[in-house]
Amino acid sequence: MPAQTTAALGALDPTSDRAVFRQIADQLREAIDKGRYKEGDKLPSETELVEHYGVSRMTVRNSLSVLQGEGLVVSEHGKGVFVRPRPPVRRLASDRFARRHRDQGKSAFTVEAEAAGSRPEVDSLEVKEERPSQDIATRLGGPRRVLARRRRYLLDGRPVEFATSYIPLDLATGTPIAEPNPGPGGIYARLEELGHRLDHFDEEIRARMPSPQEVKTLRLASGVPVIHLIRTAYDTERRAVEVCDTVMAADAYVLNYQLPAT
């Protein structure tokens, strides 16, 4: 994208008690929020901002650092500072685990991606037997071994979610659940075919800053938090049949807490 001019920016207020670098950050932020600088646009250069505001280069750099910390812009070495493209928002709809979707051969992620008009994709997948952590074992009722399914989800080519499902080994061994592709409707459809009709889901959700590995996996910009969600699926016998530990880019989701299984 071509560099944007400073025409979208105003002047500093010499009577304000707000620090100059924060005033500049405020004006850039407002210009981004109002679409004067759009996703992918290159912001005015440091030199242009220095000339426009009559401030030092360090002041301009401090302003841009504020916006980077908020996840609004990204700096590309030797190229400049750009408005960060944001992934399409995926709404976690209240019926995302409805049985009718499984009957249609669709996973929850596929259903929500289609509703958002986005292209869903899984670009990494690992399926392995392992000993669960104490937390996962407790949630599942104490199995000594589980089948772990780890995958990264993309929307329109952008990573938005990394999830690991843990299924008691006695349920998964010798079934399509242990295959890389468990088939239409995903592992929930396979569990129901095995007689574990889903009754309800419990979710625990918190927001936090990401670990370095999560930043790398989800390609997060500086300052972007994550949503950490742990979901436990129960069958009609009240047995926990799966725990899903998910980390999501917080700016890609709107959460809804109603979780019917039927």
Side-chain angles (χ1 to χ4, degrees), residues 88 99 106 156 228 245 253:
R99 185 166 290 109
K106 297 180 179 181
D156 296 329
H228 187 192
D245 190 329
Y253 291 86

Side-chain angles (χ1 to χ4, degrees), residues 5-260:
T5 70
T6 56
L9 304 173
L12 297 175
D13 181 358
T15 66
S16 174
D17 58 1
R18 188 163 176 77
V20 169
F21 80 93
R22 295 197 180 278
Q23 289 189 52
I24 296 172
D26 291 344
Q27 291 193 17
L28 288 166
R29 185 189 304 106
E30 181 181 14
I32 293 171
D33 289 342
K34 292 187 176 180
R36 297 170 190 156
Y37 301 143
K38 304 183 186 308
E39 291 186 13
D41 280 353
K42 182 180 179 181
L43 293 184
S45 68
E46 287 185 5
T47 299
E48 290 172 319
L49 292 172
V50 166
E51 293 177 352
H52 177 77
Y53 288 111
V55 297
S56 70
R57 189 173 295 271
M58 183 56 67
T59 297
V60 167
R61 288 178 179 173
N62 288 339
S63 302
L64 295 174
S65 292
V66 170
L67 300 182
Q68 284 184 266
E70 295 173 355
L72 288 177
V73 302
V74 292
S75 177
E76 297 186 16
H77 184 67
K79 296 182 178 180
V81 178
F82 298 81
V83 179
R84 186 173 73 88
R86 299 187 182 186
V89 172
R90 173 188 164 208
R91 182 175 297 277
L92 295 182
S94 60
D95 72 341
R96 66 189 188 278
F97 297 120
R99 185 166 290 109
R100 68 178 183 278
H101 299 314
R102 296 192 290 278
D103 290 343
Q104 295 171 359
K106 297 180 179 181
S107 68
F109 187 79
T110 299
V111 169
E112 288 158 355
E114 290 178 352
S118 299
R119 172 174 53 85
E121 183 182 356
V122 176
D123 76 335
S124 65
L125 175 67
E126 178 188 54
V127 182
K128 61 183 293 189
E129 295 181 14
E130 62 185 41
R131 184 181 297 276
S133 68
Q134 183 60 52
D135 177 66
I136 297 298
T138 298
R139 293 170 188 272
L140 288 173
R144 300 183 62 182
R145 303 286 290 179
V146 296
L147 183 78
R149 298 180 56 90
R150 294 181 173 87
R151 61 272 189 203
R152 184 173 71 166
Y153 293 101
L154 285 70
L155 287 179
D156 296 329
R158 297 177 184 172
V160 295
E161 176 179 326
F162 184 81
T164 303
S165 287
Y166 300 95
I167 305 98
L169 201 57
D170 66 304
L171 297 184
T173 299
T175 75
I177 295 172
E179 300 296 326
N181 183 355
I187 62 174
Y188 288 160
R190 303 291 81 75
L191 283 168
E192 294 204 313
E193 290 171 355
L194 293 169
H196 297 279
R197 188 174 178 84
L198 298 180
D199 178 76
H200 69 281
F201 304 86
D202 288 343
E203 285 191 345
E204 299 173 20
I205 301 171
R206 67 188 180 101
R208 58 172 172 78
M209 296 309 295
S211 68
Q213 183 58 47
E214 290 165 348
V215 170
K216 181 179 179 180
T217 299
L218 295 176
R219 300 177 193 166
L220 297 173
S222 175
V224 175
V226 293
I227 296 169
H228 187 192
L229 183 152
I230 299 179
R231 181 179 65 249
T232 305
Y234 294 88
D235 65 13
T236 53
E237 300 300 319
R238 298 297 191 269
R239 176 180 179 178
V241 294
E242 183 242 14
V243 171
C244 187
D245 190 329
T246 304
V247 176
M248 302 175 282
D251 60 351
Y253 291 86
V254 175
L255 295 177
N256 185 304
Y257 295 96
Q258 299 176 22
L259 304 171

